[in-house]
Amino acid sequence: MTHINKLKIFNDPIYGFISIPNELIYDLIQHPYFQRLRRISQMGMSYLVYPGANHTRFHHALGCMHLMQKVVETLRFKGVAISSEEENALFIAILLHDIGHGPFSHAMEKSIVEDVNHEAISLLFMNQLNDEFEGKLSLAIQVFKGDYHRKFMLQLISSQLDMDRMDYLKRDSFYTGVAEGNVNSERLIQMMNVVDGTLVIEEKGIYSVEKFLLSRRLMYWQAYLHKTSLVAELILMNVLKRAKELTLKGISLPCSEPLLYFMQNKVTLEDFDTEKLDLFAQLDDFDIISALKAWQKQDDFILSTLSKMLINRDLLKIKLSAEKISAEESQSLKEDFANKHHITQLEAGYFIFRGKIKNQAYSKEAEPIRILKKDKTIEDVVEASDQLNLKSLSKLVTKYYICFPKQLI
């Protein structure tokens, strides 16, 4: 049997070379559960707005692990003791933090796999992998769940300044071309330290934190909550909802077996056994895209029209407003559309609907980003900053939207 060299390197357009630190990490990356992430786009339907945004969650997970390697190096240099078991737990937890994402994740979570979020599915995958790898992921799972006594380890994986956010802002900014999102992750990492088991940023890194929070806010408005990306995702949710509705009525729709299974069955978190997890692991963006292509030709007016919209990028119109949109406005549009196409008003609701989006770059309710001042006191970044804009960045901004067909204008 030939011995495989498992300490390989990836060439990443953002960080240069990313190295695989050990054989266990290599084996996890090679696992079909993880390889599936190559077929799950990082930014969902955003490629309809930014043609370059075709990067995957596989790419992002490797980037997060690379940043985690840099953090461990920095903290050890500053005298923070991190054992090799803890180091490995950090690498594994950040590598697998997104493994539970479904195709076009958020659309999927709100339509087909009901009320089961990707974090819960990530944990199911981790537990399954832990069985396969004979308990080698136990500490990583403990850290991921927040059950480990060293709080800073969870903060590096999930907080307001974690490796996940640091990578996706930089990566999404690179692939969309939205320069405002480009954060200086190297400097932020160099400024990190641990005091009393908690993650802090040294005072001289405060401007980098401000820039990071500002970048996050701008990326939300310009990319993640861009109105065209938003309307595309909402249409996709409605397509999947309609497909599920028709399937449950006994109408046979062409699609892959795993997708058909989740459309035919209501799967809750309690139902997720190994068999269902394996079925979920077979789902990726290609199942959805190929289904949309086939559904364009279906007899159902709603399903075929919405599928064509996504395939041909001829989307619904979306109007954003700072004020709440009245029910009367959407009701009269529904009546017109229903009469014109001989469908019910309930069915017209697939084409005309209202909602709201929220953007908050920094939450005062969540775990704060702590600044370690020169006099060794620790302060929330909003208090430590002399910039007025941080106060406004922690304000929740809500915008309201209405979507409707273009021919109704």
Side-chain angles (χ1 to χ4, degrees):
M1 189 178 135
T2 54
H3 181 71
I4 304 168
N5 168 26
K6 296 186 175 181
L7 302 180
K8 295 190 180 297
I9 51 173
F10 288 95
N11 195 348
D12 182 72
I14 293 165
Y15 309 118
F17 291 113
I18 293 177
S19 59
I20 296 179
N22 58 55
E23 297 199 354
L24 174 60
I25 301 276
Y26 174 88
D27 291 335
L28 286 168
I29 291 171
Q30 280 296 90
H31 195 282
Y33 287 170
F34 192 80
Q35 288 292 320
R36 179 185 77 99
L37 297 181
R38 290 182 184 271
R39 302 184 299 279
I40 304 274
S41 64
Q42 174 68 16
M43 288 183 70
M45 305 300 290
S46 295
Y47 67 90
L48 291 176
V49 181
Y50 298 105
N54 278 307
H55 55 302
T56 65
R57 292 198 177 271
F58 179 88
H59 215 164
H60 161 62
L62 291 176
C64 292
M65 183 191 69
H66 172 76
L67 293 181
M68 192 65 88
Q69 288 171 287
K70 298 281 174 218
V71 173
V72 169
E73 210 176 280
T74 301
L75 293 179
R76 278 183 176 154
F77 181 75
K78 292 181 180 180
V80 180
I82 299 172
S83 70
S84 58
E85 289 76 28
E86 288 172 330
E87 171 186 58
N88 223 18
L90 283 169
F91 294 165
I92 293 167
I94 197 69
L95 186 72
L96 304 180
H97 77 282
D98 267 352
I99 200 168
H101 268 290
F104 301 106
S105 50
H106 304 295
M108 186 86 182
E109 281 169 29
K110 294 190 179 82
S111 54
I112 288 190
V113 186
E114 290 152 75
D115 309 320
V116 186
N117 62 28
H118 64 268
E119 289 89 356
I121 299 176
S122 290
L123 203 52
L124 293 173
F125 274 126
M126 284 188 192
N127 287 325
Q128 179 65 29
L129 287 166
N130 200 28
D131 290 347
E132 288 182 33
F133 285 91
E134 294 161 353
K136 288 179 186 163
L137 281 69
S138 299
L139 186 56
I141 291 168
Q142 215 182 327
V143 171
F144 184 79
K145 286 164 75 178
D147 295 343
Y148 194 57
H149 65 281
R150 302 189 79 183
K151 187 173 159 187
F152 79 90
M153 287 176 66
L154 175 66
Q155 288 172 300
L156 292 171
I157 291 152
S158 177
S159 69
Q160 298 205 70
L161 188 61
D162 56 26
M163 298 309 108
D164 174 34
R165 289 181 183 190
M166 233 179 263
D167 180 81
Y168 77 61
L169 286 172
K170 205 171 173 66
R171 190 168 298 280
D172 297 349
S173 154
F174 178 88
Y175 282 98
T176 54
V178 177
E180 288 81 357
N182 190 7
V183 296
N184 189 346
S185 48
E186 290 79 8
R187 178 157 174 84
L188 282 164
I189 286 170
Q190 288 301 321
M191 294 297 122
M192 287 183 170
N193 209 332
V194 173
V195 174
D196 299 330
T198 302
L199 190 69
V200 295
I201 301 288
E202 291 160 6
E203 191 174 9
K204 55 184 184 285
I206 194 163
Y207 299 120
S208 302
V209 176
E210 287 173 1
K211 166 74 168 62
F212 169 83
L213 293 172
L214 190 59
S215 297
R216 188 161 184 265
R217 182 194 185 87
L218 295 173
M219 277 301 283
Y220 266 83
W221 286 135
Q222 273 188 271
Y224 311 130
L225 296 175
H226 185 289
K227 63 179 191 170
T228 309
S229 310
L230 178 66
V231 76
E233 190 165 297
L234 293 165
I235 294 170
L236 180 59
M237 266 158 55
N238 281 353
V239 173
L240 294 172
K241 219 161 78 184
R242 181 61 173 178
K244 185 157 190 166
E245 199 179 294
L246 295 172
T247 305
L248 292 175
K249 280 183 186 165
I251 296 167
S252 158
L253 296 177
C255 66
S256 70
E257 275 179 45
L259 183 56
L260 185 62
Y261 179 84
F262 284 100
M263 291 203 304
Q264 285 174 337
N265 299 280
K266 189 179 165 77
V267 182
T268 63
L269 195 56
E270 289 69 49
D271 301 326
F272 260 99
D273 53 19
T274 310
E275 190 188 341
K276 292 190 186 57
L277 197 61
D278 279 339
L279 268 170
F280 184 84
Q282 290 169 45
L283 276 178
D284 56 50
D285 290 6
F286 294 92
D287 296 76
I288 305 292
I289 297 289
S290 58
L292 290 173
K293 284 167 70 179
W295 295 345
Q296 293 178 99
K297 300 181 180 69
Q298 290 303 298
D299 294 336
D300 183 71
F301 169 74
I302 298 166
L303 188 69
S304 64
T305 308
L306 293 175
S307 297
K308 280 175 195 157
M309 281 182 181
L310 289 173
I311 292 295
N312 303 320
R313 199 196 177 278
D314 187 9
L315 307 169
L316 294 170
K317 184 92 181 131
I318 181 167
K319 207 166 76 182
L320 287 177
S321 158
E323 307 300 314
K324 214 169 179 173
I325 292 156
S326 71
E328 294 78 44
E329 189 179 342
S330 70
Q331 190 51 39
S332 69
L333 287 171
K334 275 184 202 171
E335 283 168 17
D336 291 352
F337 192 74
N339 293 336
K340 187 176 171 186
H341 294 283
H342 313 296
I343 56 174
T344 67
Q345 286 195 32
L346 192 67
E347 290 172 332
Y350 276 103
F351 298 90
I352 297 145
F353 45 89
R354 300 171 301 149
K356 61 183 177 186
I357 47 176
K358 294 175 177 171
N359 184 3
Q360 186 177 26
Y362 183 71
S363 166
K364 285 179 171 170
E365 280 71 63
E367 177 87 27
I369 295 175
R370 295 178 176 86
I371 301 296
L372 174 66
K373 305 194 74 170
K374 288 192 176 70
D375 62 4
K376 296 285 180 265
T377 57
I378 292 174
E379 230 177 352
D380 184 327
V381 66
V382 173
E383 309 310 320
S385 165
D386 56 3
Q387 299 286 324
L388 288 170
N389 64 9
L390 275 207
K391 299 241 184 332
S392 64
L393 285 180
S394 49
K395 210 172 70 195
L396 184 68
V397 181
T398 304
K399 286 186 184 178
Y400 299 89
Y401 64 79
I402 181 166
C403 301
F404 51 90
K406 287 173 182 163
Q407 59 268 36
L408 276 183
I409 304 167

